[in-house]
Structure formats: C-alpha cells, structure tokens
C-alpha cells in the first residue's frame, strides 16, 4: 500500500472527497462506479466491474464484456451460448 500523505475528513452528510491527484493517478473519470470493501480496519475502494450474469466472472477488460437486455455477459459465456 502506498501512503499519499493526504488526509480528508468525513463531512456532516457522511461524504469524503477523493482528491483530484488520486483520481487522475487511478484513472477514475467523472461518474465512475466504485465498489466498497472492508478489510479488517480498512476501507478499500475499487473501480466497479459488473459480474457476468451466467458465471459470475468480473471482466476488467471492457472488450471482454457485453451488455444484453441490461445484463452483463462475459466473452466465454457468449461463445458458449453461440455454439
């Protein structure tokens, strides 16, 4: 884990602002979906990748994910369904 030296307080509405430098370093654009994880006493944020409706795999490469009727389907399941 890399220390940034940046400290932010939770505001009265429970929000935390992610600093611009961190968003740029992580490649987080406007309106990116983030997933929250708890690891003992740590809060971990990660870019959200929807899981395949059929197998549950999370494809990080957008070229390996397809949307069909509002559902995410991975390349492997598309190939399997096609045959």
């Amino acid at each position: 884990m890399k220390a940034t030296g940046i400290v932010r307080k939770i505001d009265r509405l429970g929000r935390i602002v992610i600093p611009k430098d961190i968003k740029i370093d992580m490649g987080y654009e406007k309106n990116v979906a983030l997933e929250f994880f708890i690891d003992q006493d740590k809060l971990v944020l990660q870019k959200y990748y929807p899981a395949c409706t059929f197998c549950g795999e999370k494809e990080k490469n957008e070229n390996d994910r397809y949307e069909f009727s509002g559902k995410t389907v991975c390349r492997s399941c598309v190939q399997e369904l096609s045959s």
Side-chain angles (χ1 to χ4, degrees), residues 23-71:
K23 290 187 284 190
I24 291 170
D25 288 348
M26 298 299 297
Y28 295 164
E29 297 116 23
K30 205 181 246 188
N31 295 321
V32 68
L34 298 177
E35 192 170 15
F36 290 75
F37 297 93
I38 297 173
D39 180 16
Q40 294 177 0
D41 64 339
K42 296 174 183 73
L43 175 62
V44 179
L45 296 176
Q46 175 179 303
K47 194 181 251 187
Y48 174 70
Y49 300 101
C52 174
T53 301
F54 297 105
C55 70
E57 283 294 314
K58 289 191 172 197
E59 296 291 343
K60 292 185 178 181
N61 184 348
E62 289 187 21
N63 295 328
D64 292 334
R65 296 195 302 265
Y66 302 93
E67 292 292 321
F68 179 75
S69 296
K71 305 289 184 189

